[in-house]
Amino acid sequence: MSDLPPLPSEKLLLDQLDELVRTSPTAALVMSPGRGQIANALADRIADGNVVSWFVDSHRAELANEIADDAVQVVCQPDLPDEVIDLAVLPVLKNGEAEMNRDLIHQAWKRLKVGGELWAAVNAAQDAWLLSQLQVLGSKVRCHDQPGGRVYGVRKTSDRFKQKTFDAEFTHRVDERVISVHSRPSVFSHRSVDRAAAVMIRNVAVPKGSVVLELGCGNGAVAMAAALRSETGHAYAVDCNTRAVQCVQRATEQNGINNLTAIVNHDGRLPDLPPCDLVLLNPPYYGDFQIAEHFLVAAGIYLRPGGEAYVVTKQTQRYLEYDWSPLNLIDRTSAQSYDLLKFKKD
């Protein structure tokens, strides 16, 4: 994995490295959607400086740690470190999440000292969107056209910019109760309860006293519904996105839900987890089915004998092609264009 090339937008910034370090920065922050190879390059050029490579996702942070130089500090947390910097570097993918990139631009600009610079790049030769986001900062934007994309540099000249928040809070009904749900950019699903999650909430019974595990909890709507219904039991909400876990923690506190634990995890190793009665899964469709496979393998590990796993999906045929032992598919129902698959552990 160490020989994986940088993502296209990060490569664009690497090609402009001399420009990035021409002001002799001493504190640099990299916000990479990949593995942050540019952090290593900056560490080589910033003698005795501080280079932080930030990630919101624990899996990406682990991959970055595998290749990071000793001089690079890999940080995985919901927000950028609250430290003054003089160089911020943001590679943007042309199909990336717009609100997340806007959030990072605003956060990075707030942390930049006056005279510091924000450098961003996008792998779109005719980009207008990223340019417009940088122009909002109120400083002159320098543009470097390159084959396959554009690189922008912005020098901070004042502290007058007002940082915007992109967080959201909305309500969702669970049985007779209305609960508040929190979400942030990069969290699945931001600003709403996903339709598949709503199918799970409406159609899966959670007996009182159940121990419930949700893998890939996103904004936590499913896990909170499970916790409320289990009453004397306990629910565990797991996600690799630190913001997702943060949102679940905020919402459980606001809603007074005391029987839910949110956990940051990406590798399925949960040594403190008790045997579970139910596992709830709404796997994403990207990743060539690897995430779905990872989730169901973990379900087979943490379910007690006789325990059940539910998967909501539109890719039923993919699940029928695998042997999920010790899990057996025992039921399949359809609801609102989704299939709800029920597995039972031997």
Side-chain angles (χ1 to χ4, degrees), residues 44-306:
D44 288 340
R45 301 288 292 273
I46 302 176
D48 301 320
N50 179 37
V51 178
V52 173
S53 188
W54 172 87
F55 297 88
V56 73
D57 181 298
S58 62
H59 182 234
R60 292 192 183 277
E62 181 179 83
L63 295 177
N65 255 319
E66 292 177 359
I67 64 162
D69 291 346
D70 292 340
V72 174
Q73 180 186 3
V74 176
V75 173
C76 183
Q77 60 187 41
D79 292 289
L80 303 183
D82 193 15
E83 300 173 0
V84 177
I85 55 175
D86 50 13
L87 175 63
V89 180
L90 177 62
V92 173
L93 296 176
K94 63 181 180 181
N95 296 322
E97 184 184 344
E99 274 201 293
M100 182 59 170
N101 287 315
R102 292 177 68 197
D103 189 2
L104 294 181
I105 288 169
H106 285 226
Q107 285 200 33
W109 194 253
K110 183 70 174 178
R111 287 156 176 77
L112 269 177
K113 70 179 185 181
V114 173
E117 293 191 337
L118 168 62
W119 284 84
V122 61
N123 55 322
Q126 303 300 319
D127 168 70
W129 181 85
L130 180 56
L131 174 60
S132 69
Q133 301 308 312
L134 297 174
Q135 288 172 330
V136 170
L137 301 174
S139 295
K140 181 180 178 181
V141 181
R142 307 187 302 276
C143 178
H144 302 262
D145 284 319
Q146 294 189 20
R150 282 183 169 174
V151 179
Y152 302 106
V154 192
R155 183 180 178 85
K156 185 172 181 178
T157 57
S158 77
D159 280 321
R160 288 194 298 269
F161 178 74
K162 185 176 181 180
Q163 181 181 346
K164 182 178 179 180
T165 179
F166 298 89
D167 297 3
E169 179 183 342
F170 53 93
T171 58
H172 177 68
R173 180 174 292 277
V174 177
D175 302 327
E176 299 304 314
R177 181 170 174 180
V178 176
I179 64 171
S180 294
V181 182
H182 292 256
S183 72
R184 304 190 65 192
S186 83
V187 173
F188 180 84
S189 73
H190 186 34
R191 299 190 182 277
S192 66
V193 174
D194 172 60
R195 286 180 58 204
V199 167
M200 182 79 76
I201 292 170
R202 292 193 192 102
N203 292 279
V204 176
V206 179
K208 182 178 178 179
S210 296
V211 177
V212 185
L213 169 65
E214 184 189 12
L215 296 173
C217 65
N219 60 36
V222 171
M224 285 191 287
L228 290 171
R229 289 168 174 168
S230 70
E231 297 185 24
T232 57
H234 202 91
Y236 295 87
V238 178
D239 206 293
C240 64
N241 188 310
T242 56
R243 286 189 172 188
V245 170
Q246 179 191 59
C247 287
V248 177
Q249 291 170 335
R250 287 177 176 175
T252 54
E253 181 177 356
Q254 181 176 346
N255 292 299
I257 300 173
N258 299 315
N259 61 333
L260 193 157
T261 301
I263 303 169
V264 176
N265 179 270
H266 64 272
D267 60 13
R269 298 171 187 166
L270 301 162
D272 298 326
L273 198 71
C276 297
D277 303 296
L278 289 173
V279 175
L280 307 178
L281 308 174
N282 178 15
Y285 294 137
Y286 60 83
D288 194 28
F289 205 65
Q290 292 180 357
I291 298 176
E293 185 175 4
H294 166 69
F295 281 0
L296 264 177
V297 169
I301 294 172
Y302 294 110
L303 277 171
R304 63 166 176 79

Side-chain angles (χ1 to χ4, degrees), residues 289-329:
F289 205 65
Q290 292 180 357
I291 298 176
E293 185 175 4
H294 166 69
F295 281 0
L296 264 177
V297 169
I301 294 172
Y302 294 110
L303 277 171
R304 63 166 176 79
E308 297 172 344
Y310 287 85
V311 180
V312 60
T313 185
K314 290 185 176 182
Q315 296 180 314
T316 300
Q317 187 56 41
R318 297 295 302 273
Y319 291 89
L320 301 179
E321 295 170 357
Y322 287 72
D323 176 7
W324 297 108
S325 180
L327 301 179
N328 297 298
L329 180 62

